[in-house]
Amino acid sequence: DHIQTTAQSKLQSTPPTHHYPLLCLYNYLHETILSYRLEILRAQAHLLSTTRYNGAMHVDNTTPPSTLSIRFWYSDPKSRDFRLEIAIKFRPQTIKEENDSARAVAWAMTLGVPETAWIDVQFVERKADSEDTILPMEVFDEQLDIERLYVRAAEMMATKTLATLEALVGISRHSDAGLEVLGVEYGIDRVLQLAVDVRTGRIVVLDSEVGGREGKAVRELEEKVNDDVGSLIDSLKSLKFAVRIAC
């Protein structure tokens, strides 16, 4: 319906004559194809949000038809909001006239479709108390798949989260079977392996089989760090204390 309405409005507003009718027709068809492609991506997102990524992916239905906004992870929009934003973007075209002078063609006065139209993909982190963090994502046509884009954006955020933890403890992270892991020693022969679950965005403790007071302290550390990354140092101190009690 959106595509049909857009097409009718553009055709009705088109002046009877124009210097570049074939180019305008090409541009109009180009935007129509991009609109169909965006609708396919929107359908993919809705399907994934109700099946494989149920609860971890949410499609924002309040955006304009030319924009697809996907919120991911268990983020609270009031504090931090992680989004994958896909939109059709336009850039006014410059035409060389016969006298070799360049002029910008105001396509909104004709078909409203510039020659340079493309699908733009961005990762956006919104915070209530600071400016948005926007990271453009270079995407090729064959990579325009919602699940691939979602995983790629989630991996970008996971890397950023681990870098924050890395800066707090002053220890470099390493790769374990393709997974970025931060290993923190908190006692003799005791290492806390921290990673980020790409599907949920939660910081998780890997391979922790300790029980008793120490095990409880590990579970509490995981919860506290997910609520506030900056609490890692105090949580590690509590964990060291629990180890001494257990010994």
Side-chain angles (χ1 to χ4, degrees):
D1 291 341
H2 161 66
I3 296 174
Q4 184 177 0
T5 303
T6 303
Q8 289 176 348
S9 64
K10 286 177 179 175
L11 289 173
Q12 290 172 0
S13 62
T14 303
T17 59
H18 191 273
H19 291 300
Y20 311 101
L22 290 180
L23 184 57
C24 284
L25 177 59
Y26 167 81
N27 294 333
Y28 164 69
L29 293 175
H30 187 199
E31 186 196 0
T32 302
I33 292 171
L34 291 179
S35 298
Y36 276 121
R37 194 156 195 181
L38 191 62
E39 289 306 308
I40 292 173
L41 293 175
R42 195 186 309 275
Q44 287 180 357
H46 277 291
L47 178 61
L48 288 171
S49 67
T50 56
T51 53
R52 187 177 305 174
Y53 293 93
N54 185 20
M57 176 189 292
H58 173 75
V59 181
D60 187 350
N61 294 314
T62 64
T63 58
S66 60
T67 301
L68 171 59
S69 182
I70 303 169
R71 183 162 62 89
F72 61 94
W73 290 359
Y74 296 99
S75 54
D76 180 3
K78 295 180 181 179
S79 56
R80 301 178 75 192
D81 192 6
F82 306 113
R83 289 178 181 262
L84 180 65
E85 295 195 344
I86 307 170
I88 299 176
K89 296 290 183 71
F90 308 103
R91 183 184 298 117
Q93 185 191 15
T94 298
I95 298 290
K96 287 283 186 178
E97 297 288 0
E98 291 182 1
N99 60 4
D100 204 31
S101 63
R103 69 180 179 89
V105 178
W107 293 108
M109 301 296 292
T110 55
L111 283 178
V113 185
E115 180 184 27
T116 310
W118 73 99
I119 292 182
D120 181 72
V121 183
Q122 293 182 337
F123 165 74
V124 181
E125 179 186 0
R126 294 197 173 101
K127 297 180 181 179
D129 57 351
S130 62
E131 294 183 358
D132 296 350
T133 299
I134 301 177
L135 300 176
M137 298 174 63
E138 185 178 357
V139 180
F140 299 102
D141 286 347
E142 62 271 14
Q143 296 172 324
L144 274 176
D145 173 85
I146 288 298
E147 187 165 15
R148 287 184 182 179
L149 293 174
Y150 176 87
V151 170
R152 183 174 164 190
E155 287 176 343
M156 289 171 64
M157 193 59 225
T159 299
K160 184 178 177 181
T161 300
L162 283 177
T164 302
L165 295 175
E166 185 179 69
L168 285 172
V169 297
I171 299 174
S172 300
R173 60 187 183 275
H174 62 278
S175 180
D176 184 4
L179 180 67
E180 291 286 310
V181 177
L182 183 66
V184 184
E185 292 185 7
Y186 64 94
I188 300 175
D189 296 329
R190 282 178 165 83
V191 179
L192 202 65
Q193 300 280 359
L194 298 174
V196 177
D197 184 345
V198 173
R199 186 182 180 280
T200 64
R202 285 183 60 82
I203 300 169
V204 294
V205 178
L206 302 177
D207 303 327
S208 178
E209 299 179 354
V210 294
R213 187 184 294 268
E214 182 182 351
K216 181 181 178 182
V218 169
R219 291 189 294 273
E220 288 177 350
L221 178 145
E222 185 173 298
E223 291 301 321
K224 288 180 180 178
V225 173
N226 276 290
D227 291 335
D228 178 14
V229 176
S231 68
L232 177 61
I233 299 299
D234 289 337
S235 297
L236 285 172
K237 291 178 181 178
S238 299
L239 186 56
K240 287 183 179 180
F241 180 75
V243 172
R244 289 197 296 269
I245 295 295
C247 295

